Amino acid sequence: MRIPLSWVKDFVNLDKIKFQDLIDALNKIGFVVDEIIDMSKGLQQVFVCQILDIKKHPNADKLDVCQCDIGGLGKKQIVTGAKNIKVGDFVPVALDGASLPCGKIITESQMRGEVSQGMFCGADEIGITEDEFEGADNDGLLILNRINPKAGTKIADTLNRNDIVLDISFLPNRADAACVAGVAREIAAYFGLSFVEPDTKFSTKNIKNPIAVKVEDNINCERYMGAYIESVKNGQSPDWMKRRLVMAGHKPYSILVDITNYVLTEIGQPMHAFDVSKIGGGQLIVRGAKKDEKIITLDNKAQTLEKGMLVIADASKPLAIAGIMGGIDSGTYKDTTSVFLESASFAYANVRKTAKKLGVSTSSSQRFGKTLSTCSAERGLKRALFLIDKLGLGQISSTIVDTNKASLSKRTVVASVANINQRLSLNVSGQQMGKILSSLGFEATIKGDVLSAVVPTWRVDVIVEADLSEEIGRTLGYDNLNENKTSESSSVFQGSYENSQIISNQIKNTLSTMGANEVLSLQFISPDSAVKFGLKTDNCVQILNPLGKEYSLLRPNLLVNILHIISYNLRQKNNNLFLFEVARVFEKTKTKPNESQNLCIVMQTEDFYKVKSILNKVLSVFSVAPVFEASFLPSYLHPGISANVFVDNKRIGHIGQLHPTVAKDFGIDTKCVVAEISLDSLFAFSEKRVVAKQVSKLPRVERDLAFTVDKRMSAVEIINAVKDSGGENIKNICIFDVYEGAQVEEGKKSVAVRFYIEQGGNTLNDKELGSILETIINGCKNRIGAKLR
Amino acid sequence: MQDRIKDIKLRLNKLLFEVKNSEQFGQIRAQFFGKTGEISNLLKALGTVDKDDRAALGAKINELKTDAEQAVDSMEREIAKKELEEKLKKEKIDTTLDKKYEFEGGSIHPIFIELDKVQKILVGLGYRQVDDCEVEYDDLCFTQLNIPKDHPARDMQDTFFLNDELVLRTHTSPSQIKAMRKYGAPLKIFSSGRVFRIDDFDATHAPAFFQIEGLCVDKKLGMADLKKTLLAFLQKLLGEKTRIRFRSSFFPFTEPSVEVDASCNLCDGVGCPSCRGEGWIEMGGAGMVHPNVLKNGGINEKEYSGFAFGFGIDRLAKLAYKVADMRDFYTNDVRFLNQFGGKKI
């Protein structure tokens, strides 16, 4: 929010405060200054001048050569193309060296043979708009005659541009301070200066009270105040008010609207002015909206209301949506002669909900959407009436309407000085605490350790002892907090990791050592990607308010987003990709979605077995024996080159070559083998203890056997046949060669099996070895019909 | 006989002197030591010698045999050694050449490297990790943390909703409530992971980021305990010289609440381009746990107090590795990722 510093000075004298100290203080106490805007920037070399003489340029039809008086700076010759001037006019002139807000840099120069010692300025060239200065919005130069300026004065002085605007981020619990007076009060408290309360005195005349107010919903409208003003002269606001509003970021409209914005900026209270002639039946009713009730708001939009919303209505129709925006029909215009000025307290939850539903956000709804005190309504109204009275804009002809005076009852927080000191690790006396609180508007009394603080009505955020400690802490500042003044707790704490984290870190280290790059992707996928994966979007977890359609689903697997990453890298001509990710995936249920930690590996290769071997290596962390079975596979895998992975008869994931259609859909033109498993179901296995077995002292015997078997026989079946027939001394059985072709009969394949025979206690002789091999050969023949080659 | 012995000695020495390669030794051995070799023949001829001379001559021949065998063996070893050296010399390779193998790339993602760094420090400070879910009940994400429904404080964290009751967690703080309820006081835990907030995806923002937060509940804790912990933590993370400062702030679940700044470790707080001339870098938020939050966690707020602190890992990683654009973390160009190849977690 933009806070003009000159406005702050209305309420606190800052003469003795250094500017940088002021900025540092605001940042420390929680009012972060995002930007410091110098309103006179670019106007240093711009002055008011009076035109003394205008002559046609001898060498240019469209130019004139003017002599002008710049007071103490003497007389200068300026060449101009402007046509809206006459001798005697006052206009801004930028002299040599000026660097204007519009970006132009001015130098003394020759123009078609005539010297021009500067440039006359139009309003836009010096950053002045019609909002700020009436008459700025013309085609030519800015004519200043209206304000009787003095030639030679700086334009920044003449137009009151010597101002600094602070753009401040306010904390959401401090709606009370998000205004000029609020900032002034905080500054005053911090520096121990006195705060000047805004003047709210006004006089009334011819009390009439023509508008009766009835609040039907006391929960959503905690307080409704207002006043009737007649003989209103609505028109342009004075320049000083316009300038303040423009600096604060408001657009001036007419004095009645401008005063509500002025009070909003100054006091923080949103207000609304109704044209009394448009209020039917002399009554304002604050009531719940009826279903499908319609209103055209000030921004000329037709809004259809719902039950639960709050409106200000007359006898027959809604005139305003409470706390959000007025209706176009009951607003104030040029011909308005009498107004009812509303200043109310609406419940933040209701305003927030309504604004959200209607898709409207106004400075009023933003204010009411925060916790604003009911006392703010009174302060705001009285300040507005003061301004109306002072500026002579109309006659205040009513007593102040107030539906809930009782809401002003004050809250007292009772606290312990010792507790506050303990929380802040300080040693501050109760008296000092009381002094700090008083400067912030609290009424504090101390009795021994008991600190009683009557909370100022505007501080709705202060409720408990801890809140008081924050007020004291931030005012004293945390710079002197001594980190060695700690509590003397004897508690002993043992730091530790979750098992799941230890395991996934191990897996990440293993894979990255093997050459894989860990990737990080968002948890969102698009419905498009889901469809490409053969997933129904209805079966995915959907986000109600996604960033966009492409981010609207929570991912049910990691592969989708990794494929996007593969595709990107291939476009970058990065090859031999080997990526993995460990992250959560989401499964839709009737209630809270299931979350599970997955691992996905993608390798740019044709070799299924390479990735399978990597997966086995990863699973070795868990000391489990995975089983691979090619059935019921996801449709995005190659139907012939893929398998489900089982551990303890439980499916934990799958591995396979990416289906060429899916690959193509993702713009991947090489073969990839992918594996995705759920780690959650495996974490429990990692706690299995290793029990070492005695290893034989004798060397083991390596043997190879070649069998002819049925072509469809799987490796697992063959290995199991060898294992089952050979017994437990046969170890490390593997198939090292498979041959199909002319050398074997149709429908068969030749398989070379290698294994080791453990010798146990005694060295085996040739005869014994022969008999073991015989047993295996016969066993395989009986079990799987294998023929020794 | 004596002459023959001498002759054999001479010829053998000559042969051994002239021998060129180890292949010749087979022939030499056959010539002298074979069944019909010269030394064997001498022994056979011993029968024809005078009985009296026989013993002495026999001893001489045996001596010749032993000496000859030793001489041959030793020469053979010497030649073989020379030959091996010659051979190895020829096998010399260019060790400056690099060949490409699959395991040459590979890296842990920088966000996780940074997360690990932070986690290790917290574990070292006695914090126990608690794992938590990413889809959370509105109640645990907000209401229990002192942020009622429709409360203005909800504006601070623009939230993704799944429905009225479920949200994508906007912070890791629901872990605080769960841990307090599970373990009670005293307590020291940390929780880390992805959190989600509606934000455009640009150079400094992402709709999701990694957060880590710590919570300590014990008797009589104050702001000094918080500061001491954060100082120890940030000195470990950023360097021993690091100083910290607190600025007043607002979080619904802490009171007082502060923003934590650390002195810039490049300029030591003087001001440099890295800290935009400020000398300080914004690190995260912290504060004393709000009594309502302790109460909601089932802890007696009169007996115990607590402090909590939280940091965004993405921001820390961005600073630590001088990554200009937040999106680089999510683009996953392997050329970017491989720069982190040396780091393990």
Side-chain angles (χ1 to χ4, degrees), chain A residues 352 423 425 470 489 496 498 501 509 517-518 520-521 523 544-545 574 595 610, chain B residues 102 107 129 131-132 134-135 155 159 161 194 218 224 255 289 332-333 338 345:
Chain A
R352 292 168 71 83
R423 200 172 187 81
S425 307
E470 172 160 76
S489 163
S496 63
E498 288 272 9
Q501 167 100 51
N509 285 340
N517 293 109
E518 181 182 21
L520 172 65
S521 49
Q523 296 294 49
L544 273 186
N545 54 337
N574 297 330
E595 290 179 34
K610 193 191 265 177
Chain B
E102 260 144 18
S107 57
Q129 185 178 28
D131 199 13
D132 208 354
E134 291 174 12
V135 173
D155 287 352
T159 311
F161 283 90
R194 290 177 198 250
D218 206 343
E255 192 76 36
V289 181
N332 298 293
D333 191 310
N338 276 329
I345 55 178

mmCIF file of all heavy atoms in Angstrom, chain A residues 352 423 425 470 489 496 498 501 509 517-518 520-521 523 544-545 574 595 610, chain B residues 102 107 129 131-132 134-135 155 159 161 194 218 224 255 289 332-333 338 345:
data_model
loop_
_atom_site.group_PDB
_atom_site.id
_atom_site.type_symbol
_atom_site.label_atom_id
_atom_site.label_comp_id
_atom_site.label_asym_id
_atom_site.label_seq_id
_atom_site.Cartn_x
_atom_site.Cartn_y
_atom_site.Cartn_z
ATOM 1 N N ARG A 352 -15.511 -11.958 2.618
ATOM 2 C CA ARG A 352 -14.557 -12.758 1.839
ATOM 3 C C ARG A 352 -15.266 -13.767 0.956
ATOM 4 O O ARG A 352 -14.957 -13.916 -0.219
ATOM 5 C CB ARG A 352 -13.599 -13.487 2.778
ATOM 6 C CG ARG A 352 -12.655 -12.578 3.516
ATOM 7 C CD ARG A 352 -11.950 -13.328 4.624
ATOM 8 N NE ARG A 352 -10.992 -14.272 4.070
ATOM 9 C CZ ARG A 352 -9.776 -13.945 3.695
ATOM 10 N NH1 ARG A 352 -9.370 -12.704 3.840
ATOM 11 N NH2 ARG A 352 -8.942 -14.836 3.205
ATOM 12 N N ARG A 423 9.253 -15.385 27.801
ATOM 13 C CA ARG A 423 8.983 -15.611 26.388
ATOM 14 C C ARG A 423 9.957 -14.837 25.508
ATOM 15 O O ARG A 423 10.402 -15.324 24.479
ATOM 16 C CB ARG A 423 7.539 -15.192 26.079
ATOM 17 C CG ARG A 423 6.975 -15.802 24.824
ATOM 18 C CD ARG A 423 5.481 -15.499 24.684
ATOM 19 N NE ARG A 423 4.918 -16.239 23.564
ATOM 20 C CZ ARG A 423 4.549 -17.498 23.611
ATOM 21 N NH1 ARG A 423 4.650 -18.184 24.729
ATOM 22 N NH2 ARG A 423 4.062 -18.090 22.531
ATOM 23 N N SER A 425 12.905 -13.733 26.556
ATOM 24 C CA SER A 425 14.261 -13.863 27.107
ATOM 25 C C SER A 425 14.821 -12.496 27.473
ATOM 26 O O SER A 425 15.953 -12.161 27.145
ATOM 27 C CB SER A 425 15.205 -14.564 26.119
ATOM 28 O OG SER A 425 14.667 -15.775 25.702
ATOM 29 N N GLU A 470 4.569 -9.836 22.141
ATOM 30 C CA GLU A 470 5.031 -9.423 20.814
ATOM 31 C C GLU A 470 5.095 -7.908 20.685
ATOM 32 O O GLU A 470 6.044 -7.358 20.126
ATOM 33 C CB GLU A 470 4.136 -9.986 19.714
ATOM 34 C CG GLU A 470 4.500 -9.408 18.347
ATOM 35 C CD GLU A 470 4.014 -10.244 17.190
ATOM 36 O OE1 GLU A 470 2.813 -10.200 16.886
ATOM 37 O OE2 GLU A 470 4.843 -10.944 16.606
ATOM 38 N N SER A 489 17.068 -26.089 30.411
ATOM 39 C CA SER A 489 16.338 -27.347 30.392
ATOM 40 C C SER A 489 17.318 -28.508 30.400
ATOM 41 O O SER A 489 18.399 -28.430 29.824
ATOM 42 C CB SER A 489 15.483 -27.418 29.136
ATOM 43 O OG SER A 489 15.089 -28.746 28.926
ATOM 44 N N SER A 496 17.232 -37.982 14.813
ATOM 45 C CA SER A 496 17.137 -39.205 14.005
ATOM 46 C C SER A 496 16.387 -38.973 12.709
ATOM 47 O O SER A 496 15.663 -37.997 12.562
ATOM 48 C CB SER A 496 16.418 -40.293 14.809
ATOM 49 O OG SER A 496 15.094 -39.873 15.089
ATOM 50 N N GLU A 498 13.781 -40.625 9.638
ATOM 51 C CA GLU A 498 12.777 -41.646 9.351
ATOM 52 C C GLU A 498 13.476 -42.738 8.531
ATOM 53 O O GLU A 498 14.319 -42.440 7.677
ATOM 54 C CB GLU A 498 11.640 -41.057 8.509
ATOM 55 C CG GLU A 498 10.720 -40.117 9.265
ATOM 56 C CD GLU A 498 9.573 -40.838 9.954
ATOM 57 O OE1 GLU A 498 9.576 -42.090 10.000
ATOM 58 O OE2 GLU A 498 8.675 -40.146 10.441
ATOM 59 N N GLN A 501 13.440 -42.296 4.802
ATOM 60 C CA GLN A 501 14.392 -41.322 4.262
ATOM 61 C C GLN A 501 15.782 -41.947 4.106
ATOM 62 O O GLN A 501 16.450 -41.746 3.106
ATOM 63 C CB GLN A 501 14.468 -40.129 5.213
ATOM 64 C CG GLN A 501 15.618 -39.209 4.965
ATOM 65 C CD GLN A 501 15.232 -37.977 4.183
ATOM 66 O OE1 GLN A 501 14.289 -37.290 4.517
ATOM 67 N NE2 GLN A 501 15.955 -37.724 3.125
ATOM 68 N N ASN A 509 21.776 -42.678 -3.832
ATOM 69 C CA ASN A 509 23.239 -42.768 -3.956
ATOM 70 C C ASN A 509 23.627 -43.897 -4.894
ATOM 71 O O ASN A 509 24.514 -43.748 -5.734
ATOM 72 C CB ASN A 509 23.871 -42.979 -2.583
ATOM 73 C CG ASN A 509 23.878 -41.702 -1.757
ATOM 74 O OD1 ASN A 509 23.762 -40.607 -2.303
ATOM 75 N ND2 ASN A 509 23.988 -41.835 -0.448
ATOM 76 N N ASN A 517 20.798 -39.765 -13.372
ATOM 77 C CA ASN A 517 20.540 -38.413 -12.888
ATOM 78 C C ASN A 517 19.197 -38.377 -12.173
ATOM 79 O O ASN A 517 18.170 -38.752 -12.752
ATOM 80 C CB ASN A 517 20.482 -37.413 -14.038
ATOM 81 C CG ASN A 517 21.821 -37.231 -14.707
ATOM 82 O OD1 ASN A 517 22.016 -37.670 -15.844
ATOM 83 N ND2 ASN A 517 22.754 -36.629 -14.014
ATOM 84 N N GLU A 518 19.207 -37.897 -10.944
ATOM 85 C CA GLU A 518 17.931 -37.724 -10.256
ATOM 86 C C GLU A 518 17.234 -36.484 -10.814
ATOM 87 O O GLU A 518 17.856 -35.440 -10.969
ATOM 88 C CB GLU A 518 18.137 -37.531 -8.758
ATOM 89 C CG GLU A 518 16.804 -37.375 -8.046
ATOM 90 C CD GLU A 518 16.913 -37.136 -6.545
ATOM 91 O OE1 GLU A 518 17.980 -36.708 -6.076
ATOM 92 O OE2 GLU A 518 15.920 -37.388 -5.847
ATOM 93 N N LEU A 520 13.633 -33.847 -10.762
ATOM 94 C CA LEU A 520 12.605 -33.328 -9.857
ATOM 95 C C LEU A 520 11.491 -32.768 -10.726
ATOM 96 O O LEU A 520 11.746 -31.919 -11.578
ATOM 97 C CB LEU A 520 13.211 -32.228 -8.992
ATOM 98 C CG LEU A 520 12.245 -31.430 -8.112
ATOM 99 C CD1 LEU A 520 11.629 -32.319 -7.054
ATOM 100 C CD2 LEU A 520 12.981 -30.280 -7.448
ATOM 101 N N SER A 521 10.289 -33.275 -10.549
ATOM 102 C CA SER A 521 9.198 -32.703 -11.331
ATOM 103 C C SER A 521 8.025 -32.377 -10.419
ATOM 104 O O SER A 521 7.971 -32.807 -9.266
ATOM 105 C CB SER A 521 8.779 -33.637 -12.464
ATOM 106 O OG SER A 521 8.575 -34.933 -11.994
ATOM 107 N N GLN A 523 4.167 -32.226 -8.910
ATOM 108 C CA GLN A 523 3.220 -33.298 -8.600
ATOM 109 C C GLN A 523 1.997 -33.260 -9.510
ATOM 110 O O GLN A 523 1.083 -34.053 -9.352
ATOM 111 C CB GLN A 523 2.760 -33.197 -7.141
ATOM 112 C CG GLN A 523 3.853 -33.392 -6.111
ATOM 113 C CD GLN A 523 4.421 -34.795 -6.107
ATOM 114 O OE1 GLN A 523 4.764 -35.340 -7.153
ATOM 115 N NE2 GLN A 523 4.500 -35.392 -4.947
ATOM 116 N N LEU A 544 -9.331 -28.608 -7.419
ATOM 117 C CA LEU A 544 -10.485 -27.742 -7.698
ATOM 118 C C LEU A 544 -10.068 -26.457 -8.401
ATOM 119 O O LEU A 544 -10.750 -25.980 -9.294
ATOM 120 C CB LEU A 544 -11.185 -27.358 -6.385
ATOM 121 C CG LEU A 544 -12.247 -28.272 -5.837
ATOM 122 C CD1 LEU A 544 -12.891 -27.616 -4.623
ATOM 123 C CD2 LEU A 544 -13.314 -28.586 -6.882
ATOM 124 N N ASN A 545 -8.967 -25.873 -7.943
ATOM 125 C CA ASN A 545 -8.539 -24.562 -8.447
ATOM 126 C C ASN A 545 -7.099 -24.625 -8.950
ATOM 127 O O ASN A 545 -6.197 -24.036 -8.365
ATOM 128 C CB ASN A 545 -8.674 -23.506 -7.350
ATOM 129 C CG ASN A 545 -7.943 -23.890 -6.074
ATOM 130 O OD1 ASN A 545 -7.686 -25.070 -5.827
ATOM 131 N ND2 ASN A 545 -7.563 -22.911 -5.281
ATOM 132 N N ASN A 574 20.686 -34.055 -25.730
ATOM 133 C CA ASN A 574 21.326 -34.810 -24.648
ATOM 134 C C ASN A 574 20.964 -36.271 -24.860
ATOM 135 O O ASN A 574 19.785 -36.599 -24.974
ATOM 136 C CB ASN A 574 20.811 -34.365 -23.276
ATOM 137 C CG ASN A 574 21.154 -32.912 -22.997
ATOM 138 O OD1 ASN A 574 22.157 -32.412 -23.475
ATOM 139 N ND2 ASN A 574 20.314 -32.245 -22.226
ATOM 140 N N GLU A 595 -1.399 -41.938 -0.585
ATOM 141 C CA GLU A 595 -0.114 -41.432 -1.072
ATOM 142 C C GLU A 595 0.912 -42.521 -0.900
ATOM 143 O O GLU A 595 0.924 -43.201 0.127
ATOM 144 C CB GLU A 595 0.325 -40.219 -0.236
ATOM 145 C CG GLU A 595 -0.514 -39.005 -0.476
ATOM 146 C CD GLU A 595 -0.082 -37.819 0.388
ATOM 147 O OE1 GLU A 595 1.121 -37.678 0.658
ATOM 148 O OE2 GLU A 595 -0.970 -37.041 0.768
ATOM 149 N N LYS A 610 19.286 -54.875 -18.894
ATOM 150 C CA LYS A 610 20.165 -53.945 -18.203
ATOM 151 C C LYS A 610 19.384 -53.236 -17.087
ATOM 152 O O LYS A 610 19.832 -53.158 -15.943
ATOM 153 C CB LYS A 610 20.703 -52.918 -19.207
ATOM 154 C CG LYS A 610 21.862 -52.108 -18.679
ATOM 155 C CD LYS A 610 22.180 -50.957 -19.586
ATOM 156 C CE LYS A 610 23.278 -51.267 -20.580
ATOM 157 N NZ LYS A 610 23.532 -50.159 -21.503
ATOM 158 N N GLU B 102 28.758 -46.016 -19.099
ATOM 159 C CA GLU B 102 27.454 -45.578 -18.604
ATOM 160 C C GLU B 102 27.500 -44.907 -17.233
ATOM 161 O O GLU B 102 26.761 -43.998 -16.947
ATOM 162 C CB GLU B 102 26.508 -46.774 -18.515
ATOM 163 C CG GLU B 102 25.577 -46.826 -19.686
ATOM 164 C CD GLU B 102 25.298 -48.239 -20.123
ATOM 165 O OE1 GLU B 102 25.537 -49.153 -19.326
ATOM 166 O OE2 GLU B 102 24.847 -48.422 -21.259
ATOM 167 N N SER B 107 23.812 -38.092 -10.925
ATOM 168 C CA SER B 107 23.816 -37.027 -9.927
ATOM 169 C C SER B 107 22.571 -37.106 -9.057
ATOM 170 O O SER B 107 21.556 -37.652 -9.464
ATOM 171 C CB SER B 107 23.817 -35.666 -10.632
ATOM 172 O OG SER B 107 22.699 -35.569 -11.487
ATOM 173 N N GLN B 129 13.252 -36.637 12.853
ATOM 174 C CA GLN B 129 12.440 -36.435 11.643
ATOM 175 C C GLN B 129 11.061 -37.075 11.782
ATOM 176 O O GLN B 129 10.930 -38.181 12.302
ATOM 177 C CB GLN B 129 13.136 -37.042 10.426
ATOM 178 C CG GLN B 129 12.385 -36.751 9.133
ATOM 179 C CD GLN B 129 13.090 -37.321 7.907
ATOM 180 O OE1 GLN B 129 13.809 -38.307 7.999
ATOM 181 N NE2 GLN B 129 12.866 -36.703 6.771
ATOM 182 N N ASP B 131 7.758 -37.872 9.205
ATOM 183 C CA ASP B 131 7.334 -37.875 7.807
ATOM 184 C C ASP B 131 5.869 -37.454 7.773
ATOM 185 O O ASP B 131 5.144 -37.650 8.733
ATOM 186 C CB ASP B 131 7.497 -39.291 7.260
ATOM 187 C CG ASP B 131 7.526 -39.286 5.744
ATOM 188 O OD1 ASP B 131 7.668 -38.190 5.160
ATOM 189 O OD2 ASP B 131 7.412 -40.362 5.148
ATOM 190 N N ASP B 132 5.455 -36.871 6.666
ATOM 191 C CA ASP B 132 4.056 -36.439 6.613
ATOM 192 C C ASP B 132 3.540 -36.461 5.176
ATOM 193 O O ASP B 132 4.318 -36.542 4.234
ATOM 194 C CB ASP B 132 3.936 -35.031 7.209
ATOM 195 C CG ASP B 132 2.564 -34.782 7.813
ATOM 196 O OD1 ASP B 132 1.684 -35.649 7.662
ATOM 197 O OD2 ASP B 132 2.381 -33.720 8.431
ATOM 198 N N GLU B 134 1.248 -35.149 1.752
ATOM 199 C CA GLU B 134 1.178 -33.910 0.979
ATOM 200 C C GLU B 134 -0.261 -33.426 0.803
ATOM 201 O O GLU B 134 -0.514 -32.232 0.709
ATOM 202 C CB GLU B 134 1.872 -34.100 -0.374
ATOM 203 C CG GLU B 134 3.375 -34.247 -0.207
ATOM 204 C CD GLU B 134 4.120 -34.593 -1.496
ATOM 205 O OE1 GLU B 134 3.526 -34.512 -2.582
ATOM 206 O OE2 GLU B 134 5.303 -34.963 -1.396
ATOM 207 N N VAL B 135 -1.204 -34.360 0.739
ATOM 208 C CA VAL B 135 -2.614 -33.964 0.759
ATOM 209 C C VAL B 135 -3.032 -33.942 2.223
ATOM 210 O O VAL B 135 -2.788 -34.907 2.944
ATOM 211 C CB VAL B 135 -3.501 -34.959 -0.027
ATOM 212 C CG1 VAL B 135 -4.974 -34.611 0.153
ATOM 213 C CG2 VAL B 135 -3.128 -34.942 -1.509
ATOM 214 N N ASP B 155 -5.013 -15.627 3.478
ATOM 215 C CA ASP B 155 -4.509 -14.940 2.282
ATOM 216 C C ASP B 155 -3.015 -15.139 2.106
ATOM 217 O O ASP B 155 -2.478 -15.029 1.015
ATOM 218 C CB ASP B 155 -4.756 -13.425 2.390
ATOM 219 C CG ASP B 155 -6.216 -13.095 2.215
ATOM 220 O OD1 ASP B 155 -6.982 -14.007 1.859
ATOM 221 O OD2 ASP B 155 -6.588 -11.929 2.437
ATOM 222 N N THR B 159 -4.115 -21.276 -1.570
ATOM 223 C CA THR B 159 -4.176 -22.716 -1.388
ATOM 224 C C THR B 159 -4.832 -23.465 -2.545
ATOM 225 O O THR B 159 -5.843 -23.022 -3.079
ATOM 226 C CB THR B 159 -4.978 -23.010 -0.094
ATOM 227 O OG1 THR B 159 -4.458 -22.202 0.939
ATOM 228 C CG2 THR B 159 -4.896 -24.474 0.288
ATOM 229 N N PHE B 161 -7.103 -26.477 -3.502
ATOM 230 C CA PHE B 161 -8.088 -27.319 -2.834
ATOM 231 C C PHE B 161 -8.428 -28.555 -3.667
ATOM 232 O O PHE B 161 -8.480 -28.480 -4.896
ATOM 233 C CB PHE B 161 -9.386 -26.531 -2.598
ATOM 234 C CG PHE B 161 -9.287 -25.565 -1.449
ATOM 235 C CD1 PHE B 161 -8.860 -24.255 -1.647
ATOM 236 C CD2 PHE B 161 -9.608 -25.969 -0.161
ATOM 237 C CE1 PHE B 161 -8.755 -23.370 -0.587
ATOM 238 C CE2 PHE B 161 -9.516 -25.097 0.910
ATOM 239 C CZ PHE B 161 -9.084 -23.788 0.699
ATOM 240 N N ARG B 194 7.584 -31.423 0.174
ATOM 241 C CA ARG B 194 6.964 -30.491 -0.765
ATOM 242 C C ARG B 194 5.785 -29.785 -0.130
ATOM 243 O O ARG B 194 4.999 -30.410 0.580
ATOM 244 C CB ARG B 194 6.416 -31.244 -1.973
ATOM 245 C CG ARG B 194 7.461 -31.814 -2.876
ATOM 246 C CD ARG B 194 6.725 -32.585 -3.958
ATOM 247 N NE ARG B 194 7.615 -33.506 -4.623
ATOM 248 C CZ ARG B 194 8.019 -33.346 -5.887
ATOM 249 N NH1 ARG B 194 7.605 -32.338 -6.596
ATOM 250 N NH2 ARG B 194 8.834 -34.218 -6.432
ATOM 251 N N ASP B 218 9.527 -27.325 25.214
ATOM 252 C CA ASP B 218 10.168 -27.691 26.482
ATOM 253 C C ASP B 218 9.731 -26.660 27.527
ATOM 254 O O ASP B 218 9.010 -25.716 27.212
ATOM 255 C CB ASP B 218 11.695 -27.684 26.313
ATOM 256 C CG ASP B 218 12.376 -28.615 27.318
ATOM 257 O OD1 ASP B 218 11.726 -28.996 28.316
ATOM 258 O OD2 ASP B 218 13.539 -28.944 27.094
ATOM 259 N N ALA B 224 15.526 -16.369 23.188
ATOM 260 C CA ALA B 224 16.970 -16.610 23.161
ATOM 261 C C ALA B 224 17.260 -18.044 22.730
ATOM 262 O O ALA B 224 18.225 -18.301 22.010
ATOM 263 C CB ALA B 224 17.581 -16.331 24.531
ATOM 264 N N GLU B 255 3.799 -16.512 18.130
ATOM 265 C CA GLU B 255 3.594 -15.211 18.764
ATOM 266 C C GLU B 255 4.640 -15.040 19.851
ATOM 267 O O GLU B 255 4.594 -15.788 20.821
ATOM 268 C CB GLU B 255 2.177 -15.149 19.353
ATOM 269 C CG GLU B 255 1.719 -13.795 19.780
ATOM 270 C CD GLU B 255 1.318 -12.916 18.588
ATOM 271 O OE1 GLU B 255 0.762 -13.454 17.613
ATOM 272 O OE2 GLU B 255 1.594 -11.709 18.649
ATOM 273 N N VAL B 289 5.895 -20.605 19.643
ATOM 274 C CA VAL B 289 4.645 -21.277 19.278
ATOM 275 C C VAL B 289 3.464 -20.622 20.003
ATOM 276 O O VAL B 289 3.520 -20.374 21.214
ATOM 277 C CB VAL B 289 4.712 -22.779 19.622
ATOM 278 C CG1 VAL B 289 3.418 -23.474 19.221
ATOM 279 C CG2 VAL B 289 5.900 -23.422 18.920
ATOM 280 N N ASN B 332 15.361 -29.939 -15.475
ATOM 281 C CA ASN B 332 16.114 -31.183 -15.441
ATOM 282 C C ASN B 332 16.918 -31.454 -16.700
ATOM 283 O O ASN B 332 16.951 -32.574 -17.204
ATOM 284 C CB ASN B 332 15.171 -32.365 -15.177
ATOM 285 C CG ASN B 332 14.467 -32.274 -13.855
ATOM 286 O OD1 ASN B 332 15.092 -32.360 -12.810
ATOM 287 N ND2 ASN B 332 13.158 -32.063 -13.889
ATOM 288 N N ASP B 333 17.554 -30.433 -17.234
ATOM 289 C CA ASP B 333 18.486 -30.650 -18.333
ATOM 290 C C ASP B 333 19.676 -31.400 -17.736
ATOM 291 O O ASP B 333 20.267 -30.936 -16.754
ATOM 292 C CB ASP B 333 18.925 -29.298 -18.922
ATOM 293 C CG ASP B 333 19.676 -29.461 -20.223
ATOM 294 O OD1 ASP B 333 20.619 -30.292 -20.247
ATOM 295 O OD2 ASP B 333 19.327 -28.782 -21.201
ATOM 296 N N ASN B 338 24.306 -32.771 -14.205
ATOM 297 C CA ASN B 338 25.604 -33.430 -14.052
ATOM 298 C C ASN B 338 26.632 -32.594 -13.302
ATOM 299 O O ASN B 338 27.632 -33.121 -12.822
ATOM 300 C CB ASN B 338 26.153 -33.849 -15.420
ATOM 301 C CG ASN B 338 25.584 -35.200 -15.845
ATOM 302 O OD1 ASN B 338 25.295 -36.059 -15.008
ATOM 303 N ND2 ASN B 338 25.389 -35.386 -17.134
ATOM 304 N N ILE B 345 24.316 -38.122 -0.770
ATOM 305 C CA ILE B 345 23.545 -37.700 0.399
ATOM 306 C C ILE B 345 23.506 -38.788 1.467
ATOM 307 O O ILE B 345 23.861 -39.907 1.184
ATOM 308 C CB ILE B 345 22.104 -37.292 0.022
ATOM 309 C CG1 ILE B 345 21.392 -38.412 -0.722
ATOM 310 C CG2 ILE B 345 22.123 -36.040 -0.810
ATOM 311 C CD1 ILE B 345 19.966 -38.101 -1.076
#
